[in-house]
């Protein structure tokens, strides 16, 4: 179960955020509204949410998930793979230190975006992507091992981040889409396959026995409900324009 979350409001500079989506620039006011609704949903799932002010210096800084991996035994500050995102961690370190005594950090030449890290109980799968490299993944696994946790890597070809295409829902269910579906890594889990036309919904989040999904994905909703979860929806259109999903907007711990 989670008790807390950290989020950061989007800034006006978000219109300059990194994207491959070809959906046009986000509408800042609508993004603020959607962000506030997202915070409200996390609160309704019982989380105490720390809302950080926007950091206009970094257009993608609302996607806080990428800056840290928060485990039960310590926090690991990442080294984001995109040069325009590197500086986001400086503001995150003191925030994470408020909650964790044990704080480690990924350093050059390693790079990691924590959107590439999928936790399944005490094991952490680390996607090797355009943002997360071998050195970063190795550093991450060494730190996890020190914490009494384990990690392994998964080579990615199509998606931005590992969690773009997969989500663990607790109780052995894994939501999968696209290149992840046929991978043998998770054959011990029960897979919920999302059709490609709803691929954006694969990035959903389990929060204390509810599953939050991006609105407008009826097949995903039906399949996750059928697996026994209570599903709630969030409007995400403005963050989708920046390749950002539900998990990216918060650090939950
Ligand atoms: C980026 O390209 O870095 C941002 N526009 C989107 C980051 C999404 N984060 C995530 O998947 N964890």
């Amino acid at each position: 179960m989670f008790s807390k979350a950290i989020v950061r409001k989007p800034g006006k500079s978000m219109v300059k955020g990194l994207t491959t989506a070809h959906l046009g620039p986000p509408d800042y006011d609508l993004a603020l509204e959607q962000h506030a609704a997202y915070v409200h949903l996390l609160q309704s799932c019982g989380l105490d949410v720390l809302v950080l002010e926007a950091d206009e210096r970094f257009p993608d800084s609302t996607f806080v998930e990428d800056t840290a991996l928060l485990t039960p035994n310590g926090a690991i500050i990442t080294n984001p793979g995109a040069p325009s995102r590197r500086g986001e961690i400086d503001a995150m370190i003191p925030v994470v230190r408020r909650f964790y005594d044990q704080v480690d950090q990924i350093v050059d030449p390693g790079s990691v975006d924590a959107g590439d890290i999928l936790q399944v109980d005490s094991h952490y799968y680390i996607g090797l992507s355009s943002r997360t490299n071998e050195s970063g993944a190795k550093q991450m696994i060494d730190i996890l091992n020190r914490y009494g946790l384990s990690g392994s890597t998964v080579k990615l070809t199509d998606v931005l981040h590992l969690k773009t295409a997969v989500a663990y829902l607790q109780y052995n269910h894994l939501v999968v889409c696209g290149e992840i579906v046929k991978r043998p890594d998770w054959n011990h889990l029960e897979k919920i396959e999302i059709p490609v036309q709803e691929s954006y919904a694969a990035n959903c989040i389990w929060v204390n026995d509810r599953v939050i999904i991006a609105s407008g994905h009826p097949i995903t909703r039906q399949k996750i409900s059928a697996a026994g979860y209570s599903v709630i929806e969030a409007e995400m259109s403005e963050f989708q324009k920046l390749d950002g999903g539900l998990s990216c907007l918060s650090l939950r711990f």
Side-chain angles (χ1 to χ4, degrees):
M1 298 293 263
F2 297 116
S3 62
K4 298 186 190 67
I6 300 169
V7 302
R8 185 182 292 288
K9 287 185 192 166
K12 291 199 174 81
S13 64
M14 77 183 297
V15 294
K16 295 193 219 118
L18 299 171
T19 185
T20 58
H22 303 296
L23 294 171
D27 174 322
Y28 169 65
D29 291 322
L30 185 53
L32 273 186
E33 240 174 70
Q34 292 180 348
H35 194 264
Y38 176 84
V39 169
H40 189 74
L41 279 183
L42 294 183
Q43 288 167 333
S44 73
C45 294
L47 302 193
D48 194 359
V49 184
L50 172 61
V51 182
L52 304 172
E53 285 309 316
D55 187 343
E56 294 292 353
R57 298 170 302 164
F58 300 107
D60 286 298
S61 55
T62 191
F63 302 114
V64 287
E65 169 178 64
D66 293 315
T67 61
L69 182 71
L70 304 184
T71 81
N73 305 343
I76 305 160
I77 303 293
T78 66
N79 194 19
S84 66
R85 301 200 59 189
R86 283 270 154 115
E88 290 177 27
I89 56 169
D90 296 333
M92 195 50 78
I93 292 169
V95 176
V96 167
R97 283 199 187 280
R98 283 196 231 168
F99 301 99
Y100 283 86
D101 293 328
Q102 180 68 44
V103 179
D104 288 274
Q105 200 165 341
I106 304 300
V107 292
D108 287 337
S111 69
V112 172
D113 279 11
D116 273 318
I117 306 184
L118 172 77
Q119 179 190 0
V120 177
D121 304 323
S122 62
H123 190 82
Y124 294 73
Y125 296 90
I126 305 172
L128 295 173
S129 68
S130 59
R131 303 289 178 86
T132 299
N133 64 20
E134 296 267 6
S135 164
K138 183 180 180 315
Q139 291 178 45
M140 189 56 83
I141 292 170
D142 288 346
I143 298 166
L144 288 169
N145 289 344
R146 263 203 282 123
Y147 292 176
L149 305 166
S150 58
S152 57
T153 56
V154 180
K155 273 208 170 61
L156 300 172
T157 53
D158 304 339
V159 290
L160 172 63
H161 287 126
L162 175 60
K163 276 187 290 189
T164 307
V166 59
Y168 183 57
L169 299 186
Q170 236 65 20
Y171 315 122
N172 267 15
H173 285 107
L174 194 74
V175 175
V176 289
C177 190
E179 68 179 281
I180 299 296
V181 174
K182 294 205 165 56
R183 291 199 63 109
D185 310 64
W186 298 286
N187 284 347
H188 59 295
L189 300 173
E190 208 172 314
K191 295 182 187 170
I192 300 174
E193 186 177 337
I194 302 301
V196 173
Q197 72 272 23
E198 293 199 4
S199 61
Y200 180 66
N203 181 277
C204 53
I205 51 175
W206 177 94
V207 188
N208 300 349
D209 286 346
R210 307 237 191 115
V211 176
I212 308 178
I213 68 167
S215 60
H217 300 93
I219 300 170
T220 305
R221 182 179 185 118
Q222 187 277 326
K223 287 193 168 193
I224 296 176
S225 302
Y229 296 89
S230 156
V231 177
I232 41 183
E233 298 192 9
E235 293 288 345
M236 286 290 290
S237 63
E238 303 318 293
F239 300 102
Q240 184 176 9
K241 290 174 180 172
L242 296 180
D243 296 335
L246 283 157
S247 72
C248 320
L249 287 180
S250 61
L251 287 162
R252 301 163 301 282
F253 57 110

